[in-house]
mmCIF file of all heavy atoms in Angstrom:
data_model
loop_
_atom_site.group_PDB
_atom_site.id
_atom_site.type_symbol
_atom_site.label_atom_id
_atom_site.label_comp_id
_atom_site.label_asym_id
_atom_site.label_seq_id
_atom_site.Cartn_x
_atom_site.Cartn_y
_atom_site.Cartn_z
ATOM 1 N N SER A 201 111.558 118.466 105.675
ATOM 2 C CA SER A 201 112.383 117.710 104.711
ATOM 3 C C SER A 201 113.672 117.403 105.408
ATOM 4 O O SER A 201 114.178 118.095 106.232
ATOM 5 C CB SER A 201 112.543 118.541 103.433
ATOM 6 O OG SER A 201 113.821 118.842 103.227
ATOM 7 N N THR A 213 123.140 111.403 96.296
ATOM 8 C CA THR A 213 121.745 111.341 95.919
ATOM 9 C C THR A 213 121.217 112.770 95.974
ATOM 10 O O THR A 213 121.572 113.525 96.889
ATOM 11 C CB THR A 213 120.985 110.459 96.951
ATOM 12 O OG1 THR A 213 121.578 109.174 96.990
ATOM 13 C CG2 THR A 213 119.527 110.293 96.640
ATOM 14 N N TRP A 214 120.349 113.088 94.997
ATOM 15 C CA TRP A 214 119.730 114.450 95.050
ATOM 16 C C TRP A 214 119.011 114.614 96.372
ATOM 17 O O TRP A 214 118.411 113.649 96.792
ATOM 18 C CB TRP A 214 118.756 114.624 93.884
ATOM 19 C CG TRP A 214 119.357 114.502 92.525
ATOM 20 C CD1 TRP A 214 119.028 113.596 91.549
ATOM 21 C CD2 TRP A 214 120.399 115.325 91.972
ATOM 22 N NE1 TRP A 214 119.798 113.798 90.427
ATOM 23 C CE2 TRP A 214 120.634 114.866 90.644
ATOM 24 C CE3 TRP A 214 121.165 116.414 92.422
ATOM 25 C CZ2 TRP A 214 121.600 115.428 89.828
ATOM 26 C CZ3 TRP A 214 122.110 116.959 91.559
ATOM 27 C CH2 TRP A 214 122.303 116.499 90.312
ATOM 28 N N ALA A 238 130.090 102.754 114.936
ATOM 29 C CA ALA A 238 128.878 102.444 115.706
ATOM 30 C C ALA A 238 128.975 101.041 116.206
ATOM 31 O O ALA A 238 128.467 100.736 117.304
ATOM 32 C CB ALA A 238 127.660 102.623 114.818
ATOM 33 N N LEU A 286 120.537 84.991 112.209
ATOM 34 C CA LEU A 286 119.966 86.196 111.623
ATOM 35 C C LEU A 286 119.806 85.918 110.114
ATOM 36 O O LEU A 286 120.747 85.477 109.467
ATOM 37 C CB LEU A 286 120.904 87.375 111.847
ATOM 38 C CG LEU A 286 120.548 88.657 111.074
ATOM 39 C CD1 LEU A 286 119.190 89.240 111.513
ATOM 40 C CD2 LEU A 286 121.635 89.760 111.322
ATOM 41 N N HIS A 336 122.654 89.539 90.338
ATOM 42 C CA HIS A 336 123.965 88.912 90.123
ATOM 43 C C HIS A 336 125.083 89.826 90.582
ATOM 44 O O HIS A 336 125.942 89.483 91.387
ATOM 45 C CB HIS A 336 124.154 88.562 88.617
ATOM 46 C CG HIS A 336 123.203 87.521 88.127
ATOM 47 N ND1 HIS A 336 123.451 86.147 88.353
ATOM 48 C CD2 HIS A 336 122.049 87.606 87.477
ATOM 49 C CE1 HIS A 336 122.458 85.465 87.808
ATOM 50 N NE2 HIS A 336 121.614 86.327 87.261
ATOM 51 N N LYS A 340 127.788 89.685 93.965
ATOM 52 C CA LYS A 340 129.243 89.711 93.875
ATOM 53 C C LYS A 340 129.843 90.869 94.723
ATOM 54 O O LYS A 340 130.823 90.655 95.445
ATOM 55 C CB LYS A 340 129.696 89.865 92.447
ATOM 56 C CG LYS A 340 129.518 88.578 91.621
ATOM 57 C CD LYS A 340 130.048 88.686 90.218
ATOM 58 C CE LYS A 340 129.550 87.466 89.422
ATOM 59 N NZ LYS A 340 128.906 87.871 88.146
ATOM 60 N N ALA A 379 112.209 83.548 92.876
ATOM 61 C CA ALA A 379 110.874 83.262 93.395
ATOM 62 C C ALA A 379 110.487 84.374 94.317
ATOM 63 O O ALA A 379 111.046 84.495 95.427
ATOM 64 C CB ALA A 379 110.801 81.912 94.067
ATOM 65 N N ARG A 414 115.512 76.745 114.830
ATOM 66 C CA ARG A 414 116.186 77.507 115.911
ATOM 67 C C ARG A 414 115.728 78.965 115.945
ATOM 68 O O ARG A 414 115.226 79.461 114.914
ATOM 69 C CB ARG A 414 117.709 77.433 115.668
ATOM 70 C CG ARG A 414 118.308 76.037 115.811
ATOM 71 C CD ARG A 414 118.309 75.548 117.236
ATOM 72 N NE ARG A 414 119.022 76.437 118.112
ATOM 73 C CZ ARG A 414 118.816 76.556 119.436
ATOM 74 N NH1 ARG A 414 117.908 75.776 120.024
ATOM 75 N NH2 ARG A 414 119.490 77.383 120.165
ATOM 76 N N ILE A 431 122.518 103.707 116.790
ATOM 77 C CA ILE A 431 123.446 103.471 117.896
ATOM 78 C C ILE A 431 124.424 104.661 117.996
ATOM 79 O O ILE A 431 124.715 105.159 119.063
ATOM 80 C CB ILE A 431 124.236 102.171 117.675
ATOM 81 C CG1 ILE A 431 123.289 100.966 117.647
ATOM 82 C CG2 ILE A 431 125.316 101.947 118.719
ATOM 83 C CD1 ILE A 431 122.356 100.837 118.887
ATOM 84 N N ASP A 476 114.335 110.572 102.328
ATOM 85 C CA ASP A 476 113.692 111.682 102.950
ATOM 86 C C ASP A 476 113.047 111.210 104.248
ATOM 87 O O ASP A 476 113.120 110.025 104.589
ATOM 88 C CB ASP A 476 112.605 112.247 101.987
ATOM 89 C CG ASP A 476 112.384 113.736 102.197
ATOM 90 O OD1 ASP A 476 112.505 114.195 103.361
ATOM 91 O OD2 ASP A 476 112.030 114.450 101.227
ATOM 92 N N LEU A 478 110.283 109.976 106.790
ATOM 93 C CA LEU A 478 109.041 109.167 106.633
ATOM 94 C C LEU A 478 107.915 110.190 106.753
ATOM 95 O O LEU A 478 107.983 111.164 107.504
ATOM 96 C CB LEU A 478 108.930 108.196 107.792
ATOM 97 C CG LEU A 478 109.302 106.745 107.461
ATOM 98 C CD1 LEU A 478 109.311 105.901 108.720
ATOM 99 C CD2 LEU A 478 108.350 106.135 106.439
ATOM 100 N N PRO A 504 101.439 103.023 96.511
ATOM 101 C CA PRO A 504 102.281 103.589 97.547
ATOM 102 C C PRO A 504 103.557 102.836 97.852
ATOM 103 O O PRO A 504 104.576 103.464 98.157
ATOM 104 C CB PRO A 504 101.371 103.651 98.807
ATOM 105 C CG PRO A 504 100.319 102.622 98.545
ATOM 106 C CD PRO A 504 100.173 102.539 97.059
ATOM 107 N N LEU A 534 102.082 101.118 103.853
ATOM 108 C CA LEU A 534 103.174 101.811 103.216
ATOM 109 C C LEU A 534 103.987 100.830 102.372
ATOM 110 O O LEU A 534 104.609 101.194 101.387
ATOM 111 C CB LEU A 534 104.080 102.480 104.247
ATOM 112 C CG LEU A 534 105.277 103.211 103.717
ATOM 113 C CD1 LEU A 534 104.833 104.370 102.863
ATOM 114 C CD2 LEU A 534 106.153 103.695 104.867
ATOM 115 N N VAL A 549 92.557 99.115 83.936
ATOM 116 C CA VAL A 549 92.253 97.670 83.725
ATOM 117 C C VAL A 549 93.570 96.959 83.388
ATOM 118 O O VAL A 549 93.850 95.877 83.904
ATOM 119 C CB VAL A 549 91.239 97.499 82.558
ATOM 120 C CG1 VAL A 549 90.986 96.014 82.313
ATOM 121 C CG2 VAL A 549 89.924 98.188 82.912
ATOM 122 N N LYS A 579 92.512 86.029 84.322
ATOM 123 C CA LYS A 579 91.707 85.725 83.140
ATOM 124 C C LYS A 579 90.589 86.700 82.951
ATOM 125 O O LYS A 579 90.292 87.160 81.867
ATOM 126 C CB LYS A 579 91.187 84.283 83.234
ATOM 127 C CG LYS A 579 92.194 83.220 82.930
ATOM 128 C CD LYS A 579 91.517 81.878 82.805
ATOM 129 C CE LYS A 579 92.587 80.749 82.897
ATOM 130 N NZ LYS A 579 92.056 79.543 83.455
ATOM 131 N N LEU A 646 71.207 82.376 73.659
ATOM 132 C CA LEU A 646 70.052 81.672 73.129
ATOM 133 C C LEU A 646 69.145 82.680 72.425
ATOM 134 O O LEU A 646 68.907 83.732 72.949
ATOM 135 C CB LEU A 646 69.264 80.995 74.261
ATOM 136 C CG LEU A 646 70.015 79.926 75.008
ATOM 137 C CD1 LEU A 646 69.166 79.448 76.201
ATOM 138 C CD2 LEU A 646 70.269 78.747 74.069
#
Side-chain angles (χ1 to χ4, degrees):
Chain A
S201 117
T213 302
W214 300 120
L286 171 61
H336 294 279
K340 285 185 193 127
R414 294 289 304 155
I431 297 305
D476 209 328
L478 259 174
L534 179 64
V549 177
K579 283 189 195 150
L646 296 174

